[in-house]
Each structure stands twice: as structure tokens, then as C-alpha cells.
Amino acid sequence: MAMLLLLGGVSWLQMGVLNTASKDLALNWLPSVETINKINTTASDIRLHQAQHIMNTDDAAMARIEKDLAAELDTFSQYRKEYEKLISSPQEQQLYDQFSDAWARLADVNKGMMEHSHNNRNDAARKIFEGESASLQKTMGDLLNNLVDLNQQGAQDSYQSATRAFSTAQIWVVAVVVGAGILGAAGAVWLIRSISRPLKDAIQLAERVSDGDLSSQITVGGRDEIGQLLAALQRMQGSLAAVVSKVRTNAEHVSTASAEIAQGNNDLSARTEQQASSLEETAASMEELGSTVKQNADSAR
């Protein structure tokens, strides 16, 4: 049970690590990369429309392009707000702040460039487009790429964390299962021996008692059911020994009394024989007396 609880605790912890890594991948790193790519794509679309605006001189076409640009700028701002909710580290916040500064400078430069283009000063607009605007666009793109790399590294770290958690869980599962198997086998052997040995002693004691040997000693080593059985057998043996001892004492008393009775009978027999001899002597004397009397009678006649 202890090994099972240990396995459950370790599994719970590793599941927590896996769950955290999965959440980071699904709710942070991958959405961050996806949103940054959307920001980058929208920035490219904005620049493409700016180039189209600079190359156009038709008022209607430029108005349509300006409308598309306004929509794309709104989308760009929306994507930025979505990404700001996903920032999860000081380093990422620092890169994003640098991106925000670059974007603010680019927006100011592009505003002046679009004013030149709107007023058909295309050469001035093209100069800004190919010069300062392009430089800031590249800086902003590099910062976005750095943010992508950072989030991809975070995703890779989460994946490695999940992999380590899975490997750790596997090792713990194998170790605990093997340990539980060893402890279970050892416990089974100990349990069998703790039951079979006292039972064997109880059987041997019962066999010796049945053969009339009441002098055997038995050791009671526990308070469990087997120990209670051995204690009962020990009491039974003691009771039998007491009964046999009492019977032996009574038999000895009977033997002594019988010997005394036999001695009395012998004395009585001897006295009877003495009395018989006395009677025989008396009878002989009486016969002699009778003879004498007869002689006296004969003499008298």
C-alpha cells in the first residue's frame, strides 16, 4: 500500500508537470508564435499597400488603398493586443517593448511618407519608403523574428520538460513496480513461514501428547491467532500433566492402602493358624484327659 501511494504521488506530480507543459504549448507558446506571424504578415501587407499607394496617382485607387490600409492597421493593432496577453517572461516583455518602439517610429515615418504619396510627391515618398522606412521595417521584422525564436525556444523547453516528466514517470513506475514485487514476494514468504512454522510446532506437540509425552516445551511467540492456538495447546498440555499427576498420586495412595490391607490379612491368617494349633493341642489334651478318665473309670470299676 505504501508503494502504491508513492506511485500515485509521483504520478500525480509528473502529471502536473505534463499538464503545465501542455498548457504552455497550447495556450502560450504556440498561440504566441501564431500571433507574431499574423503581426508580421499584416505588417508586410501594410507595406505592400503603402508601395501600391506610392506607385498610384489615381485618386480613387489611392482612396481604396488608404481604406484597406486603415483596416489593416486596425487588424495590426488587434493582433498586438492579443499578443500582449500572451507575454510570459521579462525577456519577452523587453523584446516586445523594443518592437513597440520600432513600430512607433515606423508609424511616424510612414505617416509622413503617406502624406507625400497622398499629395503625389512620389519621389519623396519613395525615398522614405526605400530608406528610413525600409530600415525601421527591417528592425521591426528582426525583433518579431526574435520574438518568434523566443517563443519557439519556450515551446521546445516545454516539450523537453514534458519529455523529462514522462521519462521520470516511467522510471518511477518501473522502480516502484519492481520494488513492490520484491517486497510483496518477501512479505509472502515471511507470512507463509510465520503461519507454517507455528502450525508445525502445534502439530508436533499434539502428536507427542497423543503418544503420552507431556514433558514437551513450546514457545509462544506472538499474540495472533496462531499464538493463541499455541497458548491453548500449552495450557491443555499443562492441564493433562496435572490430571495425570493427580491420578498417579491417587493410585499410589490406593497401592499403599492395598499393601496395608494385605499385611493385615497376613497377620490375621497367622493368628488364625496359631489359634488352630492351640485348638489341636487342646483336643489332644482332652483326648489324654478322656483316656485318663476312662482309665480311672476302669480302675474304679
Side-chain angles (χ1 to χ4, degrees), residues 123-145:
D123 290 338
R126 187 178 299 108
K127 183 178 179 181
I128 296 173
F129 182 83
E130 295 175 354
E132 188 177 4
S133 178
S135 178
L136 290 173
Q137 183 78 20
K138 183 178 184 304
T139 300
M140 187 186 69
D142 292 340
L143 290 171
L144 288 175
N145 290 333

Side-chain angles (χ1 to χ4, degrees), residues 4 27 35 97 150 252 286 299:
L4 179 60
L27 302 178
T35 305
D97 291 340
L150 178 65
E252 288 177 351
M286 290 299 291
S299 296

Side-chain angles (χ1 to χ4, degrees), residues 19 38 45 111 126 182 208 225 289:
N19 185 49
K38 290 179 180 179
D45 291 340
K111 182 178 180 181
R126 187 178 299 108
I182 294 174
R208 286 195 294 268
E225 289 78 3
L289 180 61

